[in-house]
């Protein structure tokens, strides 16, 4: 197996599942007469980030993660999404961006060094494999699972199978 | 890099961070005069699993995941933990179990087939790399991030840096 197989499909699976989860969340709003803005702004605690930002960050960790691993230009996407449809478009755009990578771009990327920003004015350098496992994956899954947790906490009828993308 | 590097360290990082998060949760209980049982039984929604079960499942997906990848005997651990100390011991035992694997046991495991149970009476067969990315990692990170979400929702002063294990 290649390092491409170790990274891109993992991101794609969850980006797809998040889109399905947002579809269910939007239907929940319609069925329960909930303003979509309320759910999009929901948080698990007042100083945590709201649902919309969790989705945007999951997209960023996937897209920027793959860009850094392949030493491609790191994309910068303004966080302007204000509706479920716009967030699903962001997920679709991120999916398209990831699908455009060629497996060969990841050849040797596991042992190649990646230097990336960590906090204001600081950078860290890790091998690609370390970057993926210590930074890109845990951040990506954190925001994806928090998206699920916020919606679950608000009564949207989803489960772990939706998170895994097997529903 | 080896397939061992792609799997074991990723699990170890988060198992360690969960132990740190539980230490902060226990201190929060003491400081706020909260019965530990209340927090250990906390859920994000009534039909979700409580905190203690989220930690146990994170341990299981790490331990059983590595066992299946290496075609080792799959460990079965009774879910008897009832205190923060016992859950931290479960995390420590899982960490020790993972550390006992030798990198050579993972050589070729990325392309070797893994057959594993999915629901009652069903199994699925994937390559090791697919099993790790489609099943073991997303399940593991899901329960780890949900552990974080439950505690965050209940006011424990932790953040993403605690989840990443860099605090």
């Amino acid at each position: 197996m290649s390092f491409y197989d170790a990274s891109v499909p993992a991101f794609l699976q969850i980006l797809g599942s998040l889109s399905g989860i947002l579809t269910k969340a939007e239907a929940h709003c319609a069925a329960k007469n909930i303003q979509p803005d309320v759910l999009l702004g929901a948080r698990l605690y007042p100083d945590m980030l709201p649902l919309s930002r969790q989705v945007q960050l999951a997209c960023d960790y996937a897209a920027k993660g793959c860009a850094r691993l392949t030493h491609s230009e790191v994309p910068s996407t303004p966080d302007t999404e204000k509706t479920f449809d716009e967030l699903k478009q962001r997920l679709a755009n991120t999916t398209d961006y990831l699908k455009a990578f060629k497996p060969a771009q990841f050849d040797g990327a596991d042992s190649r060094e990646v230097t990336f920003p960590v906090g204001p004015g600081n950078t860290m350098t890790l091998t690609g494999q370390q970057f993926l496992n210590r930074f890109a994956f845990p951040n990506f899954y954190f925001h994806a699972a928090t998206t699920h947790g916020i919606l679950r906490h608000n009564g949207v009828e989803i489960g772990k199978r939706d998170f895994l993308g097997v529903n």
Side-chain angles (χ1 to χ4, degrees), chain A:
Chain A
M1 312 293 284
S2 71
F3 192 54
Y4 175 90
D5 294 319
S7 46
V8 174
F11 291 121
L12 289 176
Q13 172 175 339
I14 303 296
L15 291 170
S17 79
L18 288 179
S19 186
I21 282 172
L22 292 185
T23 298
K24 290 194 178 183
E26 194 172 15
H28 179 85
C29 287
K32 303 287 183 182
N33 203 19
I34 294 167
Q35 291 294 322
D37 280 357
V38 176
L39 214 45
L40 291 163
R43 306 165 193 260
L44 288 179
Y45 202 69
D47 68 353
M48 278 184 85
L49 295 169
L51 182 75
S52 57
R53 196 78 189 91
Q54 302 289 348
V55 175
Q56 290 162 344
L57 282 163
C59 289
D60 273 356
Y61 280 107
K64 294 186 180 184
C66 290
R68 292 191 199 286
L69 285 171
T70 56
H71 289 212
S72 306
E73 190 184 345
V74 177
S76 176
T77 311
D79 296 317
T80 53
E81 294 83 7
K82 301 210 174 308
T83 66
F84 282 110
D85 274 352
E86 288 172 2
L87 284 175
K88 285 165 69 177
Q89 189 59 55
R90 172 84 173 253
L91 287 162
N93 292 348
T94 307
T95 295
D96 288 346
Y97 176 78
L98 261 63
K99 284 185 173 171
F101 284 100
K102 303 277 179 282
Q105 292 178 267
F106 286 76
D107 290 351
D110 50 341
S111 52
R112 206 157 51 211
E113 285 193 341
V114 175
T115 298
F116 57 103
V118 283
N122 279 325
T123 62
M124 183 180 280
T125 298
L126 297 172
T127 67
Q129 181 69 74
Q130 292 170 330
F131 169 74
L132 182 65
N133 283 348
R134 290 192 201 170
F135 187 83
F137 271 166
N139 275 290
F140 173 71
Y141 285 113
F142 176 89
H143 292 291
T146 303
T147 297
H148 181 276
I150 292 171
L151 290 173
R152 198 71 169 71
H153 179 64
N154 279 277
V156 178
E157 292 187 2
I158 52 176
K160 194 172 66 172
R161 289 175 61 86
D162 294 286
F163 177 79
L164 298 174
V166 294
N167 253 4

